[in-house]
Amino acid sequence: MFSSTDSSSTRATAALPYAGIRVVEFTHMVMGPSCGLMLADLGAEVIKVEPVGHGRNGDATRQLLGSGSGFFPLFNRNKKSLTLDLQTSEGKEAALRLIATADVVTENFKPGTMKKLGLDYESLKPQFPRLIYVSHKGFLPGPYEHRTALDEVVQMMGGLAYMTGRPGDPLRAGTSVNDIMGGMFGAMGAMAALAQREKTGQGQEVQSALFENNVFLIAQHMMQYAVTGKPAAPMPARISAWAIYDVFEVKDGEQIFLAVVSDGAWREFCHAFGLEQLRDDPRLGSNNDRVQARSWLMPLLRETMAGYSAAHIAQVFEQKGLPFAPIARPHDLLEDPHLNATGALAPITLPDGRDSKTVLLPLTLDGKHLQVRLSPPKLGEHSLEILTALGYSREQAQALAQGQAG
């Protein structure tokens, strides 16, 4: 079983950029936990406050099935779990004691939820002027702010589903792009606010939103229209800037993506696959010529490439320095030789006790990946540790962690 509580882990944490920063998160699902994950991986102590009592039993993503079953173990590593019933005065008082020790508070509940609890920024600011408060919402303040948003909702209304699907068939992207990036912008805002606090001594509120995040993702196509006056076509129907930039079906029904994006690359490609006649064809002399000729050129190339295996094509493209990609499924990447060799995957213990691998943040500091120091916590795993440090007796801490008033 993967352990992350030894002294080497403590030393590793002390060397990280946000060591000594305490983050208290009131979050669930993906967006808010993503923000906490990034701050935690960078060394912050992140305390995840999870609900108990009134029929609640922790972050609901702990129990999700299907496409949501990976949410909790991925987005909640390097965190501590504290259970409280915030509907009781005792639970709220414990939360306020904890916030008094925090540098950053994060939340991603519906508008008004934290205000009802008295835990919104305006309620906390007078008592905690140095506090940085990060709210993750569906929409920034404005005409849409009352709406309930999901990643798929904003993909549809923000142009991303239109650009991803075929004409007339909008399709959401195959991952929670806005939730994850919205959390990233929340973390970025928290980092900026921490830097600002060093100058002013004052905290501030940071807001990040799904819809605005999606609009930023699609902004290149908005600007394409601004520059050209022509609406962007969905990606499957776009006029490609490059002649060969496609998925090919090859020997034994395998698929491989191939890109030939320069005139030099075209010559290398033709030479490698015996296509000298096409290489010397004056109608195909430049990339733009080949783009114009796609209607008759691509069928010829597809017929040629169908006779080769994907492994052979990949070997040739790698030798020639030409871009290519196998069509991988997500679970294939757990055994990807590059990810395993470079340390981009790390061991982790799932909440049910099984060992697995997880994906680290896609960056290195001083040549090293940011590591897993704490596996995703069991529900309330750190409640007694945190509450007794706040001055509660062990008996009081146990009662609070179980959502028992009194």
Side-chain angles (χ1 to χ4, degrees):
M1 179 179 293
F2 173 64
S3 173
S4 56
T5 58
D6 57 17
S7 59
S8 62
S9 175
T10 302
R11 291 194 298 272
T13 301
L16 291 170
Y18 286 96
I21 295 295
R22 172 170 276 190
V23 178
V24 176
E25 67 168 40
F26 300 90
T27 72
H28 63 151
M29 299 303 286
V30 175
M31 190 184 188
S34 292
C35 173
L37 164 71
M38 295 170 198
L39 296 172
D41 278 11
L42 287 163
E45 179 192 29
V46 177
I47 298 173
K48 182 180 184 70
V49 180
E50 300 192 61
V52 290
H54 297 82
R56 295 162 301 175
N57 194 29
D59 187 329
T61 60
R62 287 181 178 273
Q63 288 82 43
L64 288 182
L65 303 176
S67 61
S69 59
F71 288 176
F72 191 86
L74 177 60
F75 299 113
N76 292 286
R77 65 167 178 255
N78 287 335
K79 299 180 184 180
K80 297 177 179 180
S81 172
L82 165 64
T83 50
L84 289 174
D85 184 354
L86 298 177
Q87 304 295 327
T88 66
S89 59
E90 293 86 353
K92 178 182 171 182
E93 172 58 29
L96 288 171
R97 282 201 203 183
L98 180 61
I99 290 169
T101 71
D103 298 282
V104 180
V105 166
T106 72
E107 63 90 16
N108 70 320
F109 287 95
K110 290 181 180 180
T113 299
M114 297 302 282
K115 186 173 184 178
K116 288 179 182 177
L117 294 170
L119 298 176
D120 61 309
Y121 180 63
E122 290 305 316
S123 298
L124 297 174
K125 180 180 178 181
Q127 189 175 355
F128 309 113
R130 287 177 53 82
L131 184 67
I132 292 158
Y133 194 99
V134 185
S135 285
H136 302 86
K137 299 301 182 186
F139 306 89
L140 292 179
Y144 298 159
E145 65 180 303
H146 66 282
R147 295 185 185 180
T148 299
L150 300 168
D151 205 314
E152 195 149 344
V153 168
V154 300
Q155 288 193 38
M156 294 292 173
M157 67 184 295
L160 183 56
Y162 173 85
M163 289 303 300
T164 303
R166 295 180 176 88
D169 184 23
L171 181 67
R172 70 156 286 165
T175 188
S176 304
V177 287
N178 292 298
D179 279 312
I180 296 169
M181 284 192 64
M184 181 178 73
F185 280 112
M188 189 184 303
M191 295 173 191
L194 285 166
Q196 184 78 354
R197 193 178 71 177
E198 288 295 310
K199 301 174 183 177
T200 67
Q202 297 296 307
Q204 61 181 288
E205 184 178 19
V206 174
Q207 296 186 21
S208 173
L210 291 174
F211 178 60
E212 282 78 4
N213 181 84
N214 187 96
V215 171
F216 185 74
L217 285 174
I218 213 72
Q220 66 194 78
H221 303 302
M222 297 165 65
M223 295 309 297
Q224 177 184 339
Y225 178 78
V227 171
T228 67
K230 298 179 180 179
M235 295 297 279
R238 72 194 185 281
I239 298 175
S240 175
W242 298 283
I244 297 94
Y245 203 74
D246 293 85
V247 175
F248 288 77
E249 186 165 325
V250 297
K251 193 173 181 180
D252 298 326
E254 292 186 288
Q255 291 181 309
I256 188 169
F257 173 80
L258 304 176
V260 181
V261 298
S262 70
D263 295 340
W266 169 248
R267 291 189 290 272
E268 290 278 8
F269 170 72
C270 289
H271 177 71
F273 293 98
L275 299 172
E276 284 79 6
Q277 187 174 354
L278 291 177
R279 180 195 63 193
D280 299 333
D281 190 323
R283 297 173 297 174
L284 304 173
S286 71
N287 176 71
N288 287 349
D289 291 333
R290 294 188 292 277
V291 169
Q292 297 295 327
R294 275 178 59 87
S295 62
W296 61 266
L297 174 61
M298 288 305 297
L300 293 177
L301 296 181
R302 292 189 186 283
E303 182 179 359
T304 298
M305 303 312 290
Y308 296 95
S309 70
H312 174 74
I313 296 170
Q315 182 180 27
V316 171
F317 266 61
E318 187 156 13
Q319 288 174 345
K320 300 292 184 181
L322 302 176
F324 73 96
I327 311 302
R329 300 164 297 181
H331 63 269
D332 296 331
L333 298 176
L334 289 168
E335 304 305 325
D336 183 87
H338 178 84
L339 295 177
N340 281 283
T342 60
L345 302 178
I348 200 167
T349 301
L350 301 175
D352 64 8
R354 289 180 296 138
D355 292 335
S356 182
K357 297 176 185 175
T358 194
V359 181
L360 300 179
L361 292 186
L363 60 87
T364 62
L365 294 180
D366 198 23
K368 298 176 182 177
H369 282 281
L370 300 166
Q371 294 299 314
V372 176
R373 306 184 311 280
L374 296 170
S375 286
K378 296 177 182 177
L379 180 61
E381 181 177 344
H382 305 91
S383 294
L384 295 186
E385 167 196 329
I386 294 165
L387 291 170
T388 53
L390 292 175
Y392 290 100
S393 70
R394 186 174 182 84
E395 293 73 20
Q396 290 171 321
Q398 288 175 332
L400 284 166
Q402 293 168 8
Q404 299 172 354

